Amino acid sequence: MIPMLLSQLLASLNISQDFSDVSVSDIAYDSRQTKPGCLFVCIKGSASDGHRFAAQAAANGAAAVLAQEPVEAPGAQVILVPDTKKALSLVSAAFFGHPAQHDLKVIGITGTKGKTTTAYMIRSILEAAGHKTGIIGTVGAAVGEEAIPLPNTTPISYEVQKHLRRMADMGCQYVVMEVSSVGLKDHRVHGLPFAAGVFTNFSEDHIGGVEHKDMEEYLACKAMLFSMCPVGVVNADDPSVEKLLENSACRVYRYGMENAGDLRGGNCRHLNLPGLLGVEFTVAGDLSFTAQVGIPGRFNAYNALAAIACCHQLGIPVEAMERGLLSVRVKGRVEPVPVPGNYTLLLDYAHNAVSMESLLTTLREYEPRRLICLFGAGGNRPKVRRYEMGEASGRLADLSVITADNSRFENVLDIIEDIKIGMHKTKGRYIEIPDRREAIRWCLENAQDGDIIVLAGKGHEDYQEIDGVKYPFDERVVIREILDSPGQ
């Protein structure tokens, strides 16, 4: 990182006097990460208040401190601002050279469900059109197959700007970002010039604790995105959409399956190709074609329609939409894995009863010869989750293969016994194979033509956590190793 003058950073806050200009080596928001010559920004969080650590940051060499209330920071100059969260976002953008303003276009996606899948669909379309595209969200900060894990769906603003700069330097022309309601509430994308905003849907979630006090605040936070973009692509079928748009300043572009919109989807049906389950539907209105989507589930037609509408607003041709949607892959979300047999193998992150029920119900619609569900349950988590998962798989799968997940500090055999309590409420068939690698091997060796086999629970994770240690365990790698060494 190239040092920058403090005056250049403060110019983004419209501060031009009452400070001594110095060279700033970096920006820090955690006093433990403060280095000589950096600018320390005091952030009030749910667990701690950075204002309490201003003196420590100064002792560690901070040249200046941004605060929203008076602090003692001997040896560092203190600059007061109305809101340090907003300030951190603006000075971080300046420090990294305003990547979203000068070097790439950022698309923001908000909504209760579908953010990740829609983000990957948009990325797939943009790359089919020849545009290198990064993604920031649930599965990390990714360019191509390389993903850097993130602590939050929408990380703190400094990290957002750092990743945008990295992606711009890697040649990305676009970045698709999942923008969470909490991220908006905490001003993690404050001042970021989005090229477009997308709204998928709205339902109850994230209420209570340190998230949102009620549904009204939850929706109001999501609505903030649409004061930060020139065009808002919104789901016309969602009953909350008009409330969401009440104070928006952007041009609105509507998509939907039921209500009249600029872009309409219809005649949704299953797409069942060798090794690939998906949906297809007709697109009408401003565009007219048949979309084929390489991810199963009718609800993914909505996500695909959102992606089509967004990319249409960006000027992307239909041919790229067709290729991008058919080839889209979302890591760990009903992700197909190539196999030599005439059956379908999928990986999915479903790790509770609700997500498992949705997953298995969706896959059942494709009328497999057998629906086989391999799963376990996380250790040191409520036991009721295990009972419910066992019951869901027992009801909906033809065969359950019960195995390990992240057992953490519990014995995997005890977890399996808990899963079986729920399983025994059903008439579902099951087998127990505690070693997850061996359980996967059993599924591959016993697959029959027309089967759908889903490995649930790990999804995008590439580790297994046992006794506090994370061991490498990427199911894609495990499957490839088993297929390359049969019978071992």
Side-chain angles (χ1 to χ4, degrees), residues 3 53 146 183 210 241 263 279 426 428 483:
F53 303 100
E146 176 201 352
V210 298
V241 70
L263 206 62
V279 291
T426 75
L483 292 174

Side-chain angles (χ1 to χ4, degrees), residues 102-115:
H102 301 306
D103 305 303
L104 40 75
K105 294 179 179 179
V106 182
I107 297 128
I109 305 174
T110 196
T112 304
K113 298 175 183 175
K115 292 189 297 295

Side-chain angles (χ1 to χ4, degrees), residues 110-113 181-182 185 199 201-209 211-224 238-241 243-246:
T110 196
T112 304
K113 298 175 183 175
S181 55
V182 174
K185 178 183 177 181
F199 168 67
N201 51 62
F202 183 73
S203 59
E204 187 163 345
D205 200 5
H206 304 293
I207 305 300
E211 295 186 297
H212 300 291
K213 64 180 181 180
D214 52 32
M215 291 288 283
E216 188 173 350
E217 183 192 279
Y218 180 33
L219 184 64
C221 288
K222 290 198 173 300
M224 291 167 66
D238 192 284
S240 302
V241 70
K243 180 75 172 174
L244 177 93
L245 296 170
E246 270 184 355

Side-chain angles (χ1 to χ4, degrees), residues 244-369:
L244 177 93
L245 296 170
E246 270 184 355
N247 299 310
S248 68
C250 64
R251 178 170 59 84
V252 177
Y253 192 80
R254 301 171 191 269
Y255 68 91
M257 295 280 185
E258 299 165 8
N259 295 316
D262 302 290
L263 206 62
R264 300 183 299 280
N267 194 23
C268 185
R269 53 207 177 271
H270 292 118
L271 181 65
N272 198 339
L273 303 175
L276 184 147
L277 304 179
V279 291
E280 64 179 356
F281 59 95
T282 56
V283 179
D286 287 352
L287 299 173
S288 180
F289 68 102
T290 297
Q292 294 185 322
V293 186
I295 305 176
R298 292 178 185 273
F299 53 88
N300 277 316
Y302 264 108
N303 296 331
L305 197 58
I308 292 167
C310 177
C311 289
H312 177 54
Q313 291 303 293
L314 298 171
I316 304 300
V318 167
E319 186 268 339
M321 298 178 191
E322 292 174 323
R323 287 193 293 117
L325 288 174
L326 188 58
S327 63
V328 66
R329 298 291 180 270
V330 184
K331 192 171 185 180
R333 308 290 176 100
V334 284
E335 175 190 353
V337 180
V339 289
N342 188 25
Y343 63 95
T344 302
L345 179 64
L346 304 167
L347 308 184
D348 195 85
Y349 189 51
H351 58 285
N352 59 42
V354 173
S355 55
M356 183 171 284
E357 177 130 5
S358 174
L359 170 68
L360 296 178
T361 300
T362 294
L363 296 179
R364 176 62 68 195
E365 293 176 0
Y366 288 82
E367 300 180 351
R369 175 174 179 171

Side-chain angles (χ1 to χ4, degrees), residues 71-87:
V71 293
E72 294 294 326
Q77 54 183 319
V78 176
I79 299 119
L80 293 179
V81 295
D83 188 320
T84 52
K85 288 180 179 178
K86 291 181 178 179

Side-chain angles (χ1 to χ4, degrees), residues 96 228 236 267 289 405:
F96 288 106
M228 304 169 66
N267 194 23
F289 68 102
D405 198 300

Side-chain angles (χ1 to χ4, degrees), residues 419-430:
I419 291 171
K420 286 162 58 179
I421 290 173
M423 187 71 65
H424 290 154
K425 293 181 179 180
T426 75
K427 295 181 180 179
R429 293 176 54 233
Y430 69 89

